[in-house]
Each structure stands twice: as structure tokens, then as C-alpha cells.
Amino acid sequence: MGGRYDNIQVLRFVAAGLVVTAHSVDLAATRLGLETVLAGGGLENFGAVGVDIFFVISGFIIATTTRGQAGLAAAGDFLWRRFRRVAPIYWLLSLPILIGMARGGTLSPEVATATFLFWPFSGLSMTFPALGPGWSLCFEMLFYAAFGLAIVGGRRMGWALVGAYLAMMAAGLVLASPVLRFVGAPIVLEFLLGVGVALIGRRLPRRAGVWAVGLALAGFGLGLVFGYGGIGGEAALNDPWTGLMRAAVWGLPSGLLVLGLVRMERMYQAPGSWRRRLIFMGDASYAVYLVHVLVIRVLGRLFEMAGVSAPGDAVVVLTIIASLAAGAVVHLWVETPLLRLMSGNAPAPLDARLRRPVA
């Protein structure tokens, strides 16, 4: 396999698209009261699985790009790179909502803490940041902090942290504590699945990738056929047992999907022009993930003011297209210049072109 994992970049675009689709259906069906094909069935909230795929990808990316790194300096460099990649654009896009909440008197210290300090549990229920998708970034930052400690302390520290997390997760299943709800959240298992893919994926034969993808699709399909309950909502974040079910029902297939696509790199690819477009949208997936909430807010107000009576599915498609376009624009004209400014040069595509470390 070459030095790039283009399949993973395409998967990032797919994951972002799934989340956008779920929220677009919610806009049309719940907020506007329109009928859509996806509303009311198993597919209505299935797009939330995009977050689980993102978490597994994140674990894979971090474990792959830091292989062989050790020591305090390496950990500091890693944490700074991840911070500047994630936080500035997130805070910038949070500003419109934060200003609106401040003017309306609804900006609480808990929301500010979740938004700026990435700590979402001041009680037993999650406090969502001002920008909705920020809840997942709280877990991303938690994982980065733990991984930074593992880089400092080496393999033994890494295994010790895994053991400590599993102990806290087990305790959180029977004890109610804000710290355990966050640090011991079962959804963190999905990052560890990604790390596992990075550790064992290279040892498997390429053809195993086809089987892994097949099993992943079967797993997702079984969830749709037999139902997946409320794992796509807040219950999975506030109730540890529901969170554990989410890690099993959506996390395991996501891990198999990432594993399969990693092993299938260079085996099956789209034509060159399409591959470049898909990879670009994978590059823009983080911007899409963040900005689509703002797009949906704006479109929702416009539709309500206009008294829209268009078919619900047309509204869903329009919202998806607008969100993807806005994400691409933000990636090109906001995210990339911001990364360049903070890095002092042209930003290396940290996630877009995963390069395997030199032995």
C-alpha cells in the first residue's frame, strides 16, 4: 500500500454527509412538519452513526500518525497540532450562536464551559456547547489529552490509561457521577477501536478488507432491521448503558468498516477525477460537520418566514446541498487560511494525506 489512505478521506466525507442528512430530515420533519421518505422509519436518525465513524477514524489517524513518537516534546507538538486543527475554527463558528445566546440572556456558565473548555458535564446530563456538534469535540479533546500522556509515558502508560478508563467506565455503569459520565463514557471505546485498527490492520491480508466491509454493512443492516432504540440521541450520552449499546451496535461496525477500507486501499478506487473530488470533500468534512448547523438554522428561519409548502424531501436535498457547499467554502476560505496562520506556513494536510511513518 502507498503512503496515503484515500479511502479514509472518502469515508470522512460519507460520515459528515450522514450527520448532515439526519439533521436535514429533522429540520423538514420536526421543525417544519413536512413529510419525507426518511422520517418515521429506521433511517430517520441513522445518520447519527456518522459521529461513531468519525471517532473510529480519529483513533486510527492519531495512532497511525504518531507511531514511533515518544517524550514530552513529541507530546507537546502533538497536542498543539490537534488543538490548532480543531479548536480555532470551532470557536470561530460558535461565535454567532454565542452572541445570540448572550443577547437573549440564555448563555449560561455551563454552556460556556462546554464550548471553550470542552467539559460538557457539570451535572449528570450533558450540557451541549453553543454549536451543537461541539459535544463530540469534547470527547475528541479528552482522547487527545489521554493520548498525549501515552506519548510521554510510552506503551506502559498507554496500557495503564486504557485500564483506568475501563475501570471508570465499569464504575459509571453503577455509579452516577459527572466525571464518570464524561471520562468513563462508553462511547470513548470507539476511539480505542480506531487505535486497534491502526495496530493490527497492517498485519491482515488485503482480502480481509472485503470481509471486514461486508461484516460492517451487515452489522449496520441488522441494526436497521431489528431497531437500534435511542442510541442516536441524548440517552446514549446521559445513560451509560445506552452508551454501551451504541458502542456495540454502531461502534463495532464502524471499526470493521474503517479496518476494511484501510486494507482495501489501492484495491478499489473511483476514477481519478471523482477520487480527487471525494478526497477534497473529505478534507472539508470537518468544516461541513461544524457549519451545517448554522446553515440549517438559517434555512429553517427562511422556510418558516416564507411559509414553505414544498415537498419535505426537496427541503432535505436542498439543505444537504447547501450544507456541503457551505462546508467547502468555509474549508477553502476560512479553515485553510486559519491553519496557515497558526502554523506559520502552508498547513500540512494532517488528516487528508495520512502518511505511514518511516520504519
Side-chain angles (χ1 to χ4, degrees), residues 27 32 39 91 109 116 134 148 164 173 216 238 252 267 272 277 287 314 317 349 351 353:
L27 167 66
L32 301 178
W91 286 337
F116 291 106
L173 294 174
N238 298 325
L252 289 176
M267 289 179 61
R277 293 187 181 97
V317 172
D351 300 335
R353 302 290 188 270

Side-chain angles (χ1 to χ4, degrees), residues 150-169:
I151 292 175
V152 173
R155 186 178 297 248
R156 288 185 179 180
M157 174 65 78
W159 283 113
L161 288 170
V162 171
Y165 160 69
L166 293 176
M168 287 186 288
M169 185 188 73

Side-chain angles (χ1 to χ4, degrees), residues 24 27-28 32 34 299 303 308 310-320:
S24 299
L27 167 66
L32 301 178
L34 303 174
L299 288 180
F303 288 143
V308 65
D313 294 308
V315 171
V316 171
V317 172
L318 174 63
T319 306
I320 293 173

Side-chain angles (χ1 to χ4, degrees), residues 7 17 33 84 93 199 212 257 292 338 346 351:
N7 285 347
R84 76 187 185 202
L93 293 177
L199 294 177
L257 184 60
H292 85 277
L338 190 58
D351 300 335

Side-chain angles (χ1 to χ4, degrees), residues 236-314:
L237 305 174
N238 298 325
D239 175 47
W241 287 102
T242 307
L244 191 59
M245 184 181 298
R246 177 169 182 162
V249 175
W250 281 353
L252 289 176
S254 297
L256 286 170
L257 184 60
V258 172
L259 173 62
L261 292 179
V262 166
R263 296 312 299 149
M264 290 171 62
E265 188 71 35
R266 308 290 184 235
M267 289 179 61
Y268 306 104
Q269 292 185 338
S273 59
W274 274 104
R275 184 165 66 250
R276 288 192 295 272
R277 293 187 181 97
L278 291 172
I279 290 172
F280 167 77
M281 290 308 299
D283 294 343
S285 61
Y286 182 50
V288 170
Y289 180 65
L290 293 179
V291 80
H292 85 277
V293 177
L294 300 177
V295 172
I296 287 175
R297 279 176 172 249
V298 171
L299 288 180
R301 290 183 180 179
L302 291 176
F303 288 143
E304 287 174 339
M305 290 172 58
V308 65
S309 58
D313 294 308

Side-chain angles (χ1 to χ4, degrees), residues 89-111:
I89 182 66
Y90 162 61
W91 286 337
L92 182 63
L93 293 177
S94 298
L95 279 179
I97 300 178
L98 286 167
I99 293 172
M101 294 177 73
R103 288 179 174 177
T106 59
L107 180 59
S108 66
E110 291 79 12
V111 170

Side-chain angles (χ1 to χ4, degrees), residues 83 86-88 90-91 111-121 129 134-142 182 286:
F83 173 82
V86 171
Y90 162 61
W91 286 337
V111 170
T113 299
T115 301
F116 291 106
L117 300 182
F118 301 100
W119 188 273
F121 280 93
W135 74 264
S136 64
L137 302 185
C138 295
F139 289 104
E140 288 276 356
M141 287 299 188
L142 176 66
F182 182 40
Y286 182 50

